[in-house]
Amino acid sequence: MDTTFALQCPIPIQDYPTITLAHGGGGKLTQMLIERMYLPAFRNPLLESLHDGAILSLAAPTNGLARLAFTTDSFVVSPRVFPGGDIASLAVFGTVNDLAMCAAQPLALSAAFIIEEGLPMEELWQMVRSLARAAEEVGVPIATGDTKVVDRGKGDGLFINTSGIGLIRPGIHVAPTRAQPGDVILVNGPIAEHGIAIMSVREGLEFETALTSDSAPLHGLVAAVLDAVGEAVHVLRDPTRGGISSALNEIARAANVGIRIYEAQIPVGDAVRGACEILGLDPLYVANEGKCLVIVAPEAAEAALAAMRSHPQGREAAIIGEVVAEHPRRVILRSRIGGQRIVEMLSGEQLPRIG
Amino acid sequence: MDTTFALQCPIPIQDYPTITLAHGGGGKLTQMLIERMYLPAFRNPLLESLHDGAILSLAAPTNGLARLAFTTDSFVVSPRVFPGGDIASLAVFGTVNDLAMCAAQPLALSAAFIIEEGLPMEELWQMVRSLARAAEEVGVPIATGDTKVVDRGKGDGLFINTSGIGLIRPGIHVAPTRAQPGDVILVNGPIAEHGIAIMSVREGLEFETALTSDSAPLHGLVAAVLDAVGEAVHVLRDPTRGGISSALNEIARAANVGIRIYEAQIPVGDAVRGACEILGLDPLYVANEGKCLVIVAPEAAEAALAAMRSHPQGREAAIIGEVVAEHPRRVILRSRIGGQRIVEMLSGEQLPRIG
């Protein structure tokens, strides 16, 4: 590591004197923290891959080499229970998904609770049960844990951190930097469901169709795609906070490529579309918790699509765009009526505490 | 995992209707959460070892076997900066120490921040720098991270979760269950310094001698002991929350043995002893963040002591007691004047938010 990092705060304090909710929103301000503060401070090749998890190669005693993925995520979602899930199942699936995005089969999870004094014991139990059920569904053990309690008024009921380790499939190297012109971009189903489900609860909105979070584990879907097209998979990314716009912008920057997506091809459910219009939200910026962007070599696109559609988590999978050499580091959306616009990274905070 | 866990909350709600600070204090109520709620819910052999970290065996491609330690800890200490350290260096050293207690060399750490809206950017930067410095001191990369921001009044400035993975030294098997009658118990120096340093800041106490936290990484000390006596090391345990009393009680229960310690042999600094008297605290119950209990086969005790004293972190190491067949599951203290008393596990909360 580098000992020579700046003595001065690398983010201009006159412009950003305090942390705001937007610094946790997954958009530009989050990116600023990562790029200007964390990366220079913690400089190391593992972190610089800017992947959803770190990848470690491990020399085994007999000179074999195992590659491990290592990832961490804290969950502070409010409300803690929402249509389609709760903070505990989200914590399991979210970390399993970060491992899956490294092409890793989950080996073990940790669970660390930060509890506010006064949380009803019964509610802790409900969340512990949900966490256990979710871990069982995935088939991954909660291998280690921790509980801290903070004074009343110094927390918000329950925060959960889950970290995970997974074994990366031999021969597979997925990374945002591997996106290359010609590659095809797929998504496994309708977007924006998690964020809209949370918002509809918070805003007390009632819709004819229930709006349910898409929170789900994606390791099985990813395994099916890797079984089908293997090394032709270049990038895997779960578009959580900041939605697919932030995820695609991060990939475009990491690989120094352009990305083109087609509005007409991006699956959005009718109820979600309606709720987005009422709430004034763009589904491209809304969080997902059971969606995966898969970027593959063009010759593998149809096989990848078929593999996704054969999996319960990918019935409504679609090809939504491609990687291009033009407009590097920019994501361009072609609209239904033939126009096009730049899809910026989320600026500010659209949906605080969504995950 | 077991799907048949109870539908009812396994902790009697009439007696314990809500979570209290004591549930995070490392004593009896923490133990009750672990034993009655977490273990039945997350039932798996990794968790049941009740170690500071999980131990995973990993079959490498060429049939080699690597054993990994995996651990997690959240840090909520208040105040965030204290004599001898801060929340960030504590987060690094604490997780490195949990790995060291598994006889593991740290491979990588994660760092996850839960920030309260309004934290001064400059303070975040100071903590990021401190975290980076501590990681550099240990020589372990911060491999992956996460930032969440919660609304003002829903957090307390900054909480940090660090998880860690480490490679366990081949041939070494340390576990609380391995304590056996005849074994000798050592500690690497004066106890209770971390808790007293925190308390003295909180209470605004001034002493002639500065009271400084012992916060320090212990992987080097542990490596020195393992180099010296190898498999003769049966148990390693860092006595953090709940102090050496809770750690020794946990070991006595896990191994179904008795433990005898000698008041006159337990190193306690004069300033800490004085502060304990003023504050009405028993140093046996006060948290440490740079101390390690080492339990070794009797024939290895002198060599282990010599190895500890040769290491900067162990200059004042001492033999403090032994494992006995009598009074199984109980820790007995022989006092200076020849009396003896049972050392119970911490009941209730002595020092909230110490780590």
Side-chain angles (χ1 to χ4, degrees):
Chain A
M1 267 179 264
D2 186 357
T3 51
T4 60
F5 48 79
L7 286 169
Q8 297 295 315
C9 180
I11 292 179
I13 290 177
Q14 63 278 22
D15 300 331
Y16 303 97
T18 67
I19 295 290
T20 64
L21 285 168
H23 284 103
K28 282 187 181 172
L29 293 188
T30 303
Q31 209 61 25
M32 186 191 286
L33 276 186
I34 293 171
E35 289 177 3
R36 296 213 205 161
M37 190 181 280
Y38 301 157
L39 288 184
F42 304 135
R43 190 175 299 285
N44 70 67
L46 294 171
L47 202 60
E48 275 161 21
S49 70
L50 286 179
H51 211 303
D52 280 314
I55 295 172
L56 292 99
S57 292
L58 191 69
T62 52
N63 296 322
L65 199 68
R67 286 180 307 150
L68 287 176
F70 178 34
T71 180
T72 191
D73 211 346
S74 299
F75 296 83
V76 300
V77 62
S78 174
R80 280 191 289 282
V81 179
F82 48 82
D86 57 44
I87 191 172
S89 56
L90 193 65
V92 170
F93 298 155
T95 291
V96 163
N97 291 350
D98 283 345
L99 292 173
M101 298 309 119
C102 300
Q105 183 67 24
L107 285 177
L109 298 185
S110 64
F113 300 140
I114 298 178
I115 308 175
E116 183 189 7
E117 183 186 14
L119 182 76
M121 186 66 76
E122 175 65 29
E123 184 172 353
L124 177 62
W125 173 236
Q126 294 304 331
M127 292 304 107
V128 165
R129 275 183 53 188
S130 173
L131 196 93
R133 278 220 196 83
E136 188 174 326
E137 182 182 336
V138 174
V140 64
I142 304 293
T144 188
D146 179 56
T147 296
K148 292 294 190 302
V149 181
V150 296
D151 331 51
R152 212 179 283 263
K154 301 292 186 186
D156 193 14
L158 178 64
F159 303 141
I160 302 178
N161 176 282
T162 42
S163 298
I165 56 179
L167 195 56
I168 299 170
R169 189 182 281 233
I172 299 298
H173 298 84
V174 298
T177 48
R178 290 200 61 217
Q180 50 190 275
D183 283 357
V184 173
I185 304 168
L186 301 94
V187 71
N188 62 312
I191 64 167
E193 293 178 346
H194 177 71
I196 292 300
I198 298 287
M199 281 304 273
S200 66
V201 176
R202 283 201 209 145
E203 304 286 323
L205 297 180
E206 302 259 346
F207 296 94
E208 281 180 33
T209 318
L211 294 170
T212 303
S213 169
D214 60 340
S215 175
L218 294 169
H219 63 303
L221 176 88
V222 166
V225 174
L226 292 172
D227 286 347
V229 303
E231 291 176 59
V233 179
H234 294 166
V235 186
L236 296 165
R237 175 62 70 112
D238 56 338
T240 55
R241 283 184 290 180
I244 71 168
S245 68
S246 290
L248 291 172
N249 267 286
E250 282 172 37
I251 295 165
R253 286 186 192 192
N256 202 28
V257 294
I259 284 179
R260 188 184 296 147
I261 53 176
Y262 300 90
E263 189 178 19
Q265 291 171 228
I266 300 169
V268 185
D270 290 339
V272 165
R273 193 183 299 282
C276 279
E277 282 168 13
I278 291 168
L279 294 165
L281 298 174
D282 181 340
L284 299 182
Y285 291 90
V286 177
N288 308 275
E289 288 289 351
K291 291 301 170 298
C292 177
L293 295 166
V294 179
I295 302 186
V296 298
E299 63 277 11
E302 286 303 326
L305 182 64
M308 287 164 84
R309 287 191 172 162
S310 307
H311 191 276
Q313 240 69 268
R315 297 258 175 270
E316 298 174 73
I319 290 173
I320 63 165
E322 67 255 347
V323 179
V324 296
E326 300 84 56
H327 53 82
R329 305 171 74 83
R330 286 210 178 277
V331 179
I332 303 281
L333 177 81
R334 292 263 171 109
S335 75
R336 283 169 203 280
I337 54 168
Q340 61 181 42
R341 66 174 170 93
I342 295 173
V343 179
E344 298 273 10
M345 184 167 273
L346 182 64
S347 175
E349 176 60 282
Q350 191 188 47
L351 299 170
R353 300 184 56 189
I354 209 74
Chain B
M1 266 179 263
D2 185 357
T3 51
T4 60
F5 48 79
L7 286 169
Q8 298 295 316
C9 181
I11 291 178
I13 290 176
Q14 63 277 23
D15 300 330
Y16 303 96
T18 67
I19 295 289
T20 63
L21 285 169
H23 284 104
K28 281 186 181 173
L29 294 186
T30 304
Q31 207 63 22
M32 184 190 286
L33 276 186
I34 293 172
E35 289 176 4
R36 296 212 206 161
M37 189 181 280
Y38 301 157
L39 288 184
F42 304 135
R43 191 173 297 284
N44 70 67
L46 293 171
L47 202 60
E48 275 161 22
S49 71
L50 287 178
H51 211 306
D52 280 314
I55 295 172
L56 291 100
S57 292
L58 191 69
T62 52
N63 296 322
L65 199 67
R67 287 179 307 149
L68 286 175
F70 179 34
T71 181
T72 191
D73 211 346
S74 300
F75 295 83
V76 300
V77 62
S78 173
R80 281 192 289 283
V81 179
F82 49 81
D86 58 44
I87 191 172
S89 57
L90 193 64
V92 170
F93 298 155
T95 291
V96 163
N97 291 350
D98 283 346
L99 293 173
M101 298 310 119
C102 300
Q105 183 65 25
L107 284 175
L109 298 184
S110 64
F113 300 140
I114 298 178
I115 307 175
E116 183 189 7
E117 183 187 14
L119 181 77
M121 187 65 76
E122 175 66 27
E123 184 172 352
L124 177 62
W125 173 236
Q126 294 303 330
M127 292 303 107
V128 165
R129 275 183 55 189
S130 172
L131 197 93
R133 278 220 195 85
E136 188 176 325
E137 181 183 336
V138 174
V140 63
I142 303 294
T144 188
D146 180 55
T147 296
K148 292 294 189 305
V149 181
V150 296
D151 331 51
R152 212 179 283 263
K154 301 293 185 185
D156 193 15
L158 177 65
F159 302 140
I160 303 178
N161 176 283
T162 42
S163 299
I165 54 179
L167 196 57
I168 299 170
R169 189 182 281 232
I172 299 297
H173 298 84
V174 298
T177 50
R178 289 200 61 219
Q180 51 190 273
D183 282 358
V184 173
I185 304 169
L186 301 93
V187 69
N188 62 314
I191 64 168
E193 293 179 345
H194 177 70
I196 292 300
I198 299 288
M199 281 304 273
S200 66
V201 176
R202 283 202 209 145
E203 304 287 322
L205 298 181
E206 301 259 346
F207 295 94
E208 280 181 33
T209 318
L211 293 169
T212 303
S213 169
D214 60 340
S215 175
L218 294 170
H219 63 304
L221 175 88
V222 166
V225 173
L226 292 172
D227 286 347
V229 303
E231 291 178 60
V233 179
H234 294 166
V235 186
L236 296 165
R237 176 61 69 111
D238 56 339
T240 55
R241 285 184 291 179
I244 71 168
S245 68
S246 291
L248 291 173
N249 268 286
E250 283 173 36
I251 294 164
R253 286 186 191 194
N256 201 29
V257 295
I259 283 179
R260 188 183 295 146
I261 53 176
Y262 299 90
E263 189 178 19
Q265 290 171 229
I266 300 170
V268 184
D270 289 339
V272 166
R273 192 183 300 280
C276 278
E277 283 170 13
I278 292 167
L279 294 164
L281 298 173
D282 180 341
L284 298 181
Y285 291 89
V286 177
N288 307 276
E289 289 289 351
K291 291 301 171 298
C292 177
L293 295 166
V294 179
I295 301 185
V296 298
E299 63 276 12
E302 286 304 325
L305 182 64
M308 288 164 83
R309 288 192 171 159
S310 306
H311 191 276
Q313 240 69 270
R315 297 259 176 268
E316 297 173 74
I319 290 175
I320 63 165
E322 66 255 349
V323 180
V324 296
E326 299 84 56
H327 53 80
R329 305 170 76 82
R330 286 210 178 278
V331 179
I332 303 281
L333 177 81
R334 293 264 170 110
S335 74
R336 284 170 204 280
I337 55 166
Q340 62 180 40
R341 66 174 169 94
I342 295 172
V343 179
E344 299 273 11
M345 184 167 273
L346 182 65
S347 174
E349 176 61 282
Q350 190 187 48
L351 299 170
R353 298 183 59 189
I354 209 75

